[in-house]
Amino acid sequence: MTSQEVRLCGLLLQEHFGEVVEKVGTHLLRSGALSLRALAHETNTPLDLVKKSLCVLVQHGMCVFGSGRRGPGGPTEYRCLVERILYTLRFPRYIYTAKSLYGDTGELIVEEVLQRGEMTMSSVVKTVADRLTHNMEDGRSMDYSEVISAFSSLVDTHFLQRCLAACGKGNAATSSEKTPNSSAATPESLTDCYKLPQINLRGRGKRRRSSGDSDVDQRGGKRAKLENKELCGDEGVFWQVNFERFHLHFRDQAIISAVASKMDQTSSEIVRTMLRISEMTTQPNAAYTQPLSANEIFRALPASYNISRSTLDQYLTLLVDDPMEFVGKSGDSGGGMYVVNLHKALANLARATLESVVQERFGSRSARIFRLLLRKRHLEQKQVEDFAMIPAKEAKDMLYTLLSENLVQLQEIPKTPDHAPSRTFYLYTVNQLPTARMLLQHCYKTVGNLIERRLFETRENKRHLEKSQRIEAILASLQVSGAEPAQLTEVEEMITAPERQQLEALKHHINKMDSSENQVDETIFLLESYISSTKTSH
Amino acid sequence: MPHVEAQQRAMAINRLLSVGQLDLLRNSSGLLYRLKDTQAASKMKGSDNQEKLVYQVIEDAGNKGIWSRDIRYKSNLPLTEINKILKNLENKKLIKAVKSVAASKKKVYMLYNLQPDRSVTGGAWYSDQDFESEFVEVLNQQCFKFLQSKAEAARDSKQSPMVQRNSSFATSHEVWKYISELGISKVELSMEDIETILNTLIYDGKVEMTIIAAKEGTVGSVDGQVKLYRGVNPIIQPTGLVRTPCGLCPVFEDCCDGGEISPSTCTYMTEWLDF
């Protein structure tokens, strides 16, 4: 892992879990695999704190452990997974996707599971029902069955999956069909990874009342105690978020929006249908989906788009002929067999990202040179000037700037065995994969910078924030104890107008930085998918 | 001339050659003689043989011109002689020197009344050895607007998608006609020139090209192919990285925590946040 990745992971760990976990986590990242003793010794933290931090990391799936270098007899070694820590950056996107697909219930379920790392189904259902009930109007409450149905739909579409038990965790009777764990088994290979346990959970969400009726409180208290003792029948079956599935969904979304902006809405709907049909049948890192016949696509199109069969064929032909090659034709049976070229689509999206970075940073003429080099692979200085129709002096300047930023490389082809400069060809070229990797590191650094700046701004304005919090607390207590409006206004005026403005500005800044972190994360996702897809296809 | 003997013929030819009325050429089957027209013959009066030789060499180079060193190789004359002869010929206005656009110090010589070839002067894009970038930009934008309006018209026509796409295409010939009719160019532009402009639009990512086979003889076809161009939309919006100040920062590499340039003190960020 690179220094930028480690720095970013450190910042994320600190934000979500605190300083101790950050210290332990970054040390583990830098040193690879360590045993518990070595870790405690090197980080100078007490052993029990180290144990607790490791527990937190393991709970969230960011740390794995296993027998170490000395074999099964020696101490277990712990390793931190960089990718899992970096996924915390993407949590808002996961929650938003769950909300758009499954509504508020889905959103809260995913949020709870993300926060706790792993949870049993019953605890998820109870917590979510309580939260939803709290936000509803008086007198209504959320039934557990609705939450259970949302949970099951999330599991059916593989957005949630069971956790593989760590060595030595006890299982309840219902999960007896669980296979013995082996480190080589992946969640996808276990068919009961998505099997819902039988739980007997009936009831409704509880509303948290600050000053409720006494009998409700009494009854609620008693019932709460009862429920704590109730076993819901799914102990030991923990659920976690299936990040890979979310990533596939994001990738599909990116491809569909690219098709929509390049061609038109109907083509993107067709591609969306194709991707939807092949959701379950395609391997995660496949270069293209399974072939789909035009008949299948026609049947699966949403009813609102009533286009005729011949129009569908025309659209498919147009998609195949498009230079971007999102869709390819793999045969003629069944009215034509079509595949979505996932790897090519990702490569095109990554290329568009690189071009956009060059364009925004250096101007559209440099972007022209960059695209020219991407197309023609290797060109001499003179040829670049001729093709791009840019005066020689300016073209030279731009090429050298791009070269110094390492976006463009120089390839020497000597004519003579001694590489005399006057007798050597110098060709400019762009390599997409290394450039994408370099930009990915830049993205990590940028997100780190944004987080740093956000923390800095919060620290700077700590005094104001504390003051405003105190005033709010005073106001709330005054309201509860029934004060006069005059007293309330007096308290409110304790915050002066410029301070109020400053607080507003601070809020605005922090929101802006948060949203830009999300935007950079989109770039990170595209580049990461492209790099991993290229790795597996070679 | 069958009635003249071979010897007499040879003598007559030699005399004419020495006076300069005949040109001696060689082709694969033997020697050929050509009558020089009298005007050209009178030009060379007063020049000696060396000058005639140099003049011949320059004439052979056609409209690409020839460099002085190459003249020396071809005529085997020493440099000083060559320079004297060239100066003489220039004064007599028989040859001229043209600066090459490729290497600005190099001068090529060619006959006075010939038009320099495109490779020397750079063609339509160069006027007096200067690249006319504004002209190219204007042409660029005009072509793009033409293709874009054609694509929009096709999209609004709401016909079947195949017809829509086909009608959004324009052949290079159509674009050439449009630009010529627009009359923004003082120089006559050929179809290849327009194609180079359209290629720059492709490298700008605004236009895509396909080649289809066409019957020989359809207007604008070159070797049985026709190039079609179409305006396209970009496939993604400007990416997230460039919406932050770090993505465009010129001192990105120097920035680190606690240094002089750091995220906490970054002025670009301050400006951006207050935006």
Side-chain angles (χ1 to χ4, degrees):
Chain A
M1 48 227 70
T2 66
S3 62
Q4 294 303 330
E5 286 176 5
V6 173
R7 170 182 176 234
L8 183 56
C9 289
L11 285 168
L12 287 170
L13 284 175
Q14 185 168 9
E15 236 189 290
H16 287 251
F17 303 122
E19 287 201 10
V20 179
V21 179
E22 186 244 335
K23 202 153 112 179
V24 169
T26 40
H27 191 79
L28 257 187
L29 279 172
R30 287 211 180 93
S31 358
L34 279 182
S35 68
L36 184 60
R37 283 250 154 242
L39 188 56
H41 176 70
E42 284 173 26
T43 50
N44 284 334
T45 37
L47 197 60
D48 53 346
L49 281 182
V50 173
K51 280 191 205 169
K52 285 191 192 142
S53 339
L54 282 175
C55 276
V56 170
L57 288 173
V58 170
Q59 169 81 6
H60 279 86
M62 295 173 189
C63 175
V64 292
F65 53 90
S67 56
R69 284 166 275 211
R70 301 234 190 97
T76 49
E77 291 194 342
Y78 298 86
R79 245 180 329 117
C80 242
L81 301 174
V82 179
E83 307 89 46
R84 290 299 295 261
I85 305 183
L86 290 175
Y87 290 167
T88 24
L89 202 51
R90 229 167 270 161
F91 281 1
R93 207 170 166 192
Y94 298 141
I95 298 174
Y96 180 72
T97 312
K99 180 173 181 150
S100 52
L101 290 175
Y102 295 105
D104 283 336
T105 327
E107 174 199 358
L108 285 180
I109 294 177
V110 170
E111 195 183 324
E112 286 294 319
V113 180
L114 280 174
Q115 265 190 334
R116 308 280 185 82
E118 301 172 346
M119 284 174 87
T120 59
M121 183 166 160
S122 41
S123 43
V124 173
V125 170
K126 280 186 218 155
T127 333
V128 171
D130 288 343
R131 277 181 75 176
L132 282 170
T133 315
H134 189 69
N135 291 335
M136 284 175 163
E137 314 102 36
D138 281 326
R140 292 188 49 202
S141 62
M142 191 71 184
D143 192 29
Y144 281 178
S145 52
E146 287 178 41
V147 182
I148 291 178
S149 64
F151 193 94
S152 354
S153 28
L154 276 169
V155 170
D156 282 334
T157 42
H158 293 207
F159 281 110
L160 289 175
Q161 69 184 24
R162 274 199 204 186
C163 308
L164 287 177
C167 344
K169 222 191 224 185
N171 294 333
T174 45
S175 45
S176 55
E177 64 271 16
K178 211 159 171 349
T179 57
N181 62 323
S182 57
S183 49
T186 60
E188 276 77 32
S189 62
L190 298 175
T191 46
D192 16 273
C193 185
Y194 301 105
K195 207 158 166 167
L196 285 166
Q198 298 290 78
I199 60 173
N200 42 346
L201 196 60
R202 255 173 276 281
R204 309 189 70 86
K206 298 289 165 301
R207 188 184 293 278
R208 274 180 282 133
R209 291 172 204 271
S210 44
S211 61
D213 310 322
S214 45
D215 2 321
V216 175
D217 262 353
Q218 273 179 5
R219 265 190 282 126
K222 205 169 174 196
R223 200 176 296 161
K225 280 195 208 126
L226 268 179
E227 265 174 351
N228 280 342
K229 294 196 186 118
E230 253 172 53
L231 285 180
C232 303
D234 68 336
E235 267 54 39
V237 178
F238 290 91
W239 297 86
Q240 68 185 5
V241 171
N242 185 0
F243 293 110
E244 288 307 317
R245 179 71 183 87
F246 273 106
H247 292 167
L248 293 179
H249 182 82
F250 295 157
R251 179 200 66 187
D252 294 346
Q253 266 184 333
I255 296 179
I256 291 168
S257 62
V259 173
S261 47
K262 177 95 198 289
M263 306 184 82
D264 60 357
Q265 190 65 19
T266 325
S267 316
S268 75
E269 281 303 318
I270 295 176
V271 175
R272 192 201 297 266
T273 319
M274 288 176 76
L275 286 168
R276 198 163 32 96
I277 303 175
S278 41
E279 249 171 21
M280 298 298 162
T281 54
T282 316
Q283 298 300 318
N285 273 331
Y288 35 82
T289 61
Q290 298 292 328
L292 300 164
S293 72
N295 296 330
E296 273 180 69
I297 302 173
F298 186 59
R299 275 199 299 269
L301 273 179
S304 48
Y305 276 89
N306 50 344
I307 56 177
S308 66
R309 181 58 200 274
S310 58
T311 333
L312 172 72
D313 284 334
Q314 281 184 5
Y315 271 113
L316 283 168
T317 324
L318 282 180
L319 277 167
V320 169
D321 282 337
D322 194 62
M324 287 273 159
E325 293 188 39
F326 285 117
V327 173
K329 191 163 184 181
S330 72
D332 285 314
S333 54
M337 303 293 279
Y338 296 93
V339 290
V340 177
N341 289 325
L342 297 166
H343 176 62
K344 280 227 177 77
L346 281 175
N348 280 327
L349 285 168
R351 186 164 53 90
T353 312
L354 296 181
E355 289 168 7
S356 131
V357 171
V358 172
Q359 178 151 355
E360 298 293 327
R361 213 166 153 191
F362 299 111
S364 46
R365 305 229 269 182
S366 303
R368 199 191 282 181
I369 295 182
F370 191 75
R371 284 196 195 97
L372 170 65
L373 284 172
L374 271 172
R375 262 181 184 260
K376 302 259 182 183
R377 306 294 178 88
H378 293 269
L379 282 180
E380 274 188 322
Q381 166 94 34
K382 184 82 181 35
Q383 289 170 308
V384 170
E385 288 162 16
D386 287 337
F387 279 124
M389 308 224 76
I390 297 179
K393 231 188 271 184
E394 296 178 29
K396 217 179 266 196
D397 201 27
M398 288 176 203
L399 269 172
Y400 290 165
T401 321
L402 287 174
L403 192 63
S404 67
E405 297 282 337
N406 222 354
L407 290 159
V408 154
Q409 281 86 38
L410 204 54
Q411 169 80 31
E412 292 178 8
I413 301 187
K415 293 191 223 181
T416 54
D418 60 337
H419 290 220
S422 59
R423 287 190 293 269
T424 325
F425 287 115
Y426 289 100
L427 300 177
Y428 290 97
T429 182
V430 176
N431 293 323
Q432 203 171 327
L433 188 57
T435 318
R437 280 190 220 261
M438 185 185 74
L439 269 182
L440 187 58
Q441 298 304 317
H442 281 205
C443 287
Y444 289 143
K445 185 170 179 187
T446 308
V447 181
N449 287 350
L450 285 168
I451 297 182
E452 281 271 345
R453 181 65 188 236
R454 183 158 49 90
L455 294 174
F456 171 74
E457 294 259 329
T458 327
R459 270 198 309 268
E460 284 283 301
N461 293 304
K462 209 158 115 160
R463 199 176 57 88
H464 293 300
L465 280 171
E466 280 175 1
K467 184 171 173 188
S468 78
Q469 272 175 349
R470 263 181 301 143
I471 301 220
E472 271 174 35
I474 297 176
L475 268 175
S477 66
L478 277 180
Q479 266 176 344
V480 164
S481 59
E484 303 154 6
Q487 268 186 317
L488 289 174
T489 41
E490 198 185 303
V491 168
E492 271 176 19
E493 274 165 22
M494 277 166 63
I495 310 181
T496 60
E499 281 182 358
R500 217 183 282 272
Q501 258 181 351
Q502 238 180 339
L503 282 173
E504 278 299 313
L506 176 65
K507 206 166 30 153
H508 173 67
H509 289 182
I510 294 192
N511 284 341
K512 198 164 190 173
M513 282 190 272
D514 261 335
S515 51
S516 70
E517 280 171 37
N518 289 337
Q519 283 170 347
V520 180
D521 178 64
E522 282 176 24
T523 317
I524 290 179
F525 174 70
L526 271 179
L527 291 173
E528 269 179 2
S529 324
Y530 165 63
I531 291 173
S532 65
S533 158
T534 322
K535 252 196 291 202
T536 48
S537 66
H538 281 195
Chain B
M1 294 188 282
H3 55 275
V4 182
E5 277 177 18
Q7 224 182 1
Q8 277 184 309
R9 249 190 286 163
M11 258 188 358
I13 286 171
N14 277 336
R15 202 151 35 98
L16 284 171
L17 271 175
S18 62
V19 176
Q21 297 277 57
L22 275 187
D23 253 337
L24 180 65
L25 301 161
R26 176 196 284 265
N27 79 346
S28 48
S29 54
L31 297 168
L32 289 177
Y33 303 95
R34 185 178 65 191
L35 185 65
K36 263 206 243 195
D37 61 310
T38 43
Q39 233 189 2
S42 64
K43 263 198 260 175
M44 295 308 282
K45 278 219 178 64
S47 348
D48 54 359
N49 275 336
Q50 280 183 335
E51 285 195 2
K52 268 190 251 183
L53 183 59
V54 170
Y55 183 75
Q56 183 118 19
V57 166
I58 293 180
E59 197 182 1
D60 285 337
N63 60 354
K64 283 208 184 4
I66 188 166
W67 197 23
S68 62
R69 199 192 282 181
D70 295 331
I71 300 179
R72 209 177 356 136
Y73 283 157
K74 281 220 177 126
S75 59
N76 290 327
L77 294 169
L79 182 61
T80 44
E81 285 287 331
I82 291 281
N83 285 342
K84 232 186 347 166
I85 294 170
L86 285 173
K87 238 188 276 261
N88 266 341
L89 289 172
E90 263 182 281
N91 284 336
K92 286 193 217 165
K93 291 211 186 304
L94 292 169
I95 63 173
K96 67 179 174 194
V98 172
K99 236 176 0 137
S100 167
V101 73
S104 55
K105 303 286 182 349
K106 205 161 136 185
K107 288 208 294 197
V108 290
Y109 294 95
M110 63 181 73
L111 290 189
Y112 198 72
N113 46 358
L114 282 181
Q115 279 291 344
D117 185 57
R118 287 171 78 97
S119 66
V120 175
T121 60
W125 313 122
Y126 289 83
S127 69
D128 309 323
Q129 317 304 322
D130 274 329
F131 185 70
E132 290 218 344
S133 38
E134 286 146 26
F135 180 46
V136 169
E137 280 300 310
V138 165
L139 277 177
N140 197 323
Q141 280 168 12
Q142 288 298 325
C143 291
F144 178 55
K145 258 189 260 183
F146 174 66
L147 286 171
Q148 214 181 18
S149 54
K150 197 142 194 247
E152 267 180 39
R155 223 174 297 144
D156 292 333
S157 67
K158 294 271 179 280
Q159 291 161 326
S160 83
M162 204 59 142
V163 174
Q164 241 179 42
R165 188 186 83 130
N166 287 342
S167 60
S168 66
F169 273 120
T171 68
S172 41
H173 187 78
E174 281 175 41
V175 184
W176 175 69
K177 220 167 33 152
Y178 170 76
I179 295 288
S180 325
E181 277 166 21
L182 216 52
I184 45 180
S185 155
K186 304 179 286 279
V187 178
E188 173 78 25
L189 289 169
S190 73
M191 215 161 82
E192 277 93 31
D193 292 331
I194 296 294
E195 279 181 13
T196 40
I197 294 279
L198 288 166
N199 280 342
T200 63
L201 277 171
I202 297 179
Y203 305 135
D204 276 335
K206 296 184 185 155
V207 155
E208 67 181 16
M209 173 183 83
T210 31
I211 303 183
I212 61 167
K215 275 206 315 252
E216 282 289 335
T218 43
V219 91
S221 68
V222 178
D223 304 326
Q225 293 169 343
V226 171
K227 293 204 177 105
L228 298 171
Y229 295 88
R230 181 168 87 103
V232 291
N233 299 322
I235 62 170
I236 59 168
Q237 301 298 317
T239 184
L241 176 61
V242 299
R243 294 198 207 156
T244 65
C246 294
L248 311 173
C249 179
V251 286
F252 186 66
E253 304 290 328
D254 302 328
C255 172
C256 63
D257 311 326
E260 229 184 273
I261 304 178
S262 78
S264 329
T265 60
C266 178
T267 46
Y268 297 119
M269 278 234 197
T270 323
E271 278 175 31
W272 173 68
L273 286 173
D274 291 328
F275 196 52

